[in-house]
Structures are given as C-alpha cells and as structure tokens.
C-alpha cells in the first residue's frame, strides 16, 4: 500500500527528473489491457534501469517479464539503435500489447519478444550459445526468481549487471509467517543463491512510492 505522501513524493520526483514522452505514457497506460494491470515499473524505476544500462554501455539486454513493454522501451532506448533487447513473456495478450507499444516508441526493430515460459525461452538462449547479455532485468513470476537468476548467470559475463525486481513484497520477506508464500520463497531462494555464488556481488534496496513498499536487488558479475 502506498500512502498519499509517498505517491505525492513519487509524482514530484517524476515530474522534476523523468521525461516520459507520449510513447512511454501510452505504454504505461496500456498495462490496463494486459493480464497484470498496474504491474509495470514506475517511471523513476524505468529511468533507473535505462541509466544503469547506459552507465555500463550495455548493448545487449535481456528482460524477463514484458507486460506492455514499458520497461522494455526504457531499456531499448538505452541500448541505442545498434543494441538489442530480448524480452521474455508468457502471455500472448501481453506480448501483442507490448509489440504495439514498442513499435509506437520507435524501438520495434531493437526488441525481440520471445513468447513462452521464461524458463524455457532462457534455456533456448543458453542452448543456442547467444552472445552474453550486458544487463538482465528479472521481472516475471516471482516464485521462479532463482531459476531466472541461474539462467542469468549462464547468459552474462564478468562485468554484467543483473537487476531482480520486487524483492521486498511489502515487508513479507522478513516476516516468518510469510516464509512459505511462493513469491517470498522465490525471493529468499534467489537472494540465497546470489549470496553463495562467488561470481556475484550485490545489494538490495527497499523502495516506497507509487508501487507500494517493495524493492530491488542489484548484482554485478565479478567473475
Ligand atoms: N517488466 C514489465 C514492466 O515493468 O513494464 C512488467 C512485468 S510484469 C511485473 C510481469 C510479467 O511477467 C507479466 O507480463 C507476466 O505475464 C509475465 N510472466 C509471468 N509468468 C511468466 C513466465 N513464466 N514466463 C514469462 N513471463 C511471465
């Protein structure tokens, strides 16, 4: 739940620092036509993803969970015309809304949408020996987070960044009574995996705002 004050702060920050053009606004609003209305990242989060991609000079980005393509547009604009974004989406309905939004945003030729369960699509990318991705954004079904992080390790190189969204779940990740809830387990498994894998260094931050109380983890491949 977001408080009025948290939403007002997000509105102020976005109005002050984040330029959303018509294409981004319509992609964000088009989430209403998907299976998960309201599940896109907030504008300030979308811009953070784009800034991370730009900061590391990312040319290849992998996204798990496309929805209406809102975060995809931020990422696709960050990689520029020579770059590539591959985004994995299980819902045909969402993929078709995303395709329309990506075309409208002028990045349709930068983005490949792979339709199907993300674990299978990611395995196909691994099996076909794709060039490593510079940044991976994990934002699909939360119970599968550890599976997706394992796949991301196969699909990146030292220096790549991995962003795992929604790791706080309104505080339920630190509530013993919620430990067996599938999304909370998904977060615990992924963070435990990251903590135990010497190839990853990382941290996580809580966030509040228009998306309620949640957070994200950021990992860097150090080996
Ligand atoms: N990244 C998007 C954005 O910020 O604009 C939001 C993604 S939304 C939180 C999660 C998306 O993951 C939904 O579109 C949902 O259909 C998709 N999804 C859920 N389970 C999936 C799976 N097993 N494989 C691929 N996509 C999945």
């Amino acid at each position: 739940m977001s408080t009025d004050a948290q939403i007002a702060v997000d509105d102020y920050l976005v109005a002050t620092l984040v330029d959303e053009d018509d294409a981004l606004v319509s992609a964000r609003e088009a989430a209403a036509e998907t299976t998960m209305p309201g599940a896109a990242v907030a504008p300030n989060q979308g811009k953070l993803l784009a800034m991370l991609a730009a900061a590391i000079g990312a040319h290849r980005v992998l996204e798990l969970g496309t929805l209406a393509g809102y975060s995809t547009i931020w990422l696709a604009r960050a990689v520029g015309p020579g770059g590539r974004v591959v985004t994995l989406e299980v819902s045909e309905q969402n993929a078709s809304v995303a395709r329309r939004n990506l075309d409208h945003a002028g990045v349709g030729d930068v983005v490949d949408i792979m339709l199907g369960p993300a674990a299978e699509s990611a395995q196909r990318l691994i099996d076909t020996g794709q060039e490593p991705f510079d940044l991976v954004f994990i934002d699909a079904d939360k119970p599968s987070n550890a599976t997706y992080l394992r796949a991301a390790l196969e699909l990146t190189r030292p220096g790549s960044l991995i962003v795992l969204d929604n790791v706080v779940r309104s505080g339920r990740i630190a509530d013993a009574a919620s430990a067996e809830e599938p999304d909370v387990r998904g977060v615990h498994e992924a963070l435990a995996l990251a903590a135990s894998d010497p190839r990853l260094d990382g941290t996580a931050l809580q966030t509040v705002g228009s998306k309620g109380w949640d957070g994200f983890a950021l990992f860097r491949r150090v080996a």
Side-chain angles (χ1 to χ4, degrees):
M1 263 302 259
S2 308
T3 65
D4 289 348
Q6 289 165 359
I7 293 170
V9 169
D10 246 8
D11 288 348
Y12 162 72
L13 295 175
V14 170
T16 308
L17 292 171
V18 181
D19 279 332
E20 266 190 318
D21 65 3
D22 281 354
L24 278 166
V25 172
S26 50
R28 184 159 49 74
E29 292 175 351
E33 300 167 45
T34 68
T35 58
M36 295 180 67
V41 296
N44 39 353
Q45 295 169 326
K47 183 156 184 187
L48 177 65
L49 290 171
M51 289 181 70
L52 288 172
I56 61 166
H59 289 296
R60 287 177 54 76
V61 170
L62 174 64
E63 174 179 68
L64 294 85
T66 316
L67 197 67
Y70 181 74
S71 51
T72 326
I73 294 171
W74 279 107
L75 291 165
R77 287 178 172 172
V79 299
R84 203 88 219 131
V85 176
V86 178
T87 183
L88 315 184
E89 174 56 52
V90 74
S91 156
E92 205 165 342
Q93 176 186 339
N94 298 355
S96 118
V97 174
R99 175 51 60 203
R100 188 190 74 212
N101 289 326
L102 294 165
D103 289 343
H104 178 49
V107 293
D109 55 346
V110 174
V111 180
D112 297 320
I113 303 178
M114 289 179 74
L115 186 61
E120 291 176 18
S121 299
Q123 190 58 50
R124 206 162 340 125
L125 291 171
I126 294 166
D127 292 345
T128 52
Q130 299 282 312
E131 227 181 286
F133 290 94
D134 306 306
L135 186 146
V136 177
F137 177 45
I138 302 175
D139 191 22
D141 54 309
K142 310 307 166 185
S144 304
N145 275 339
T147 301
Y148 298 151
L149 186 57
R150 260 182 231 106
L153 280 162
E154 297 293 315
L155 289 163
T156 49
R157 54 161 176 81
S160 297
L161 294 182
I162 302 170
V163 181
L164 176 66
D165 204 11
N166 307 121
V167 298
V168 172
R169 322 302 289 157
S170 303
R172 285 184 294 114
I173 59 152
D175 173 10
S178 301
E180 293 310 314
E181 291 168 19
D183 61 335
V184 172
R185 280 181 63 155
V187 173
H188 287 165
E189 288 166 4
L191 296 188
L193 172 66
S196 68
D197 193 312
R199 291 171 294 177
L200 288 177
D201 190 19
T203 188
L205 292 178
Q206 303 186 59
T207 53
V208 293
S210 58
K211 296 283 150 181
W213 179 20
D214 214 324
F216 64 91
L218 175 63
F219 305 111
R220 191 167 80 88
R221 281 282 306 267
V222 291

